[in-house]
Amino acid sequence: MAACRRRARSIEEALVSNHVYRLSEIVGSSPTSVDDAIRTGIRKAAQTVRNIEWFEVQQVRGQVADGDVAHVQVVMKIGFRVED
């Protein structure tokens, strides 16, 4: 039990390090799904932003055409580590 707690603490310490992060807001879009909109946004941002480590979905919205979902937009914040 104590070994399990020590391991959990070391994992938590690794995740919550002394890094400094910057936030940026992006909007991913897709004609197919929320998941695809997220992945499209992250992939595109990763082409110009280094060290992206997490994202947080802020808003999901979409366009309706002829009674069906035509397009999905996902507003998200991305966190990227500031280099030393």
Side-chain angles (χ1 to χ4, degrees):
M1 188 75 135
C4 185
R5 272 182 268 165
R6 279 193 306 272
R7 181 172 180 203
R9 197 171 324 132
S10 68
I11 291 171
E12 183 178 308
E13 289 169 357
L15 292 174
V16 182
S17 62
N18 292 332
H19 295 159
V20 173
Y21 293 89
R22 185 162 192 164
L23 297 175
S24 188
E25 189 171 83
I26 63 172
V27 180
S29 62
S30 169
T32 57
S33 70
V34 170
D35 182 68
D36 191 48
I38 291 169
R39 292 176 187 282
T40 298
I42 296 295
R43 282 188 199 111
K44 188 68 173 176
Q47 291 176 2
T48 58
V49 178
R50 289 190 306 266
N51 303 320
I52 297 174
E53 293 192 3
W54 56 269
F55 72 92
E56 177 182 343
V57 172
Q58 300 289 299
Q59 191 178 102
V60 176
R61 60 180 171 237
Q63 176 188 17
V64 177
D66 298 323
D68 200 3
V69 176
H71 217 83
V72 176
Q73 285 187 331
V74 177
V75 179
M76 61 192 125
K77 288 186 179 178
I78 56 171
F80 53 97
R81 189 172 19 88
V82 176
E83 295 178 341
D84 295 333

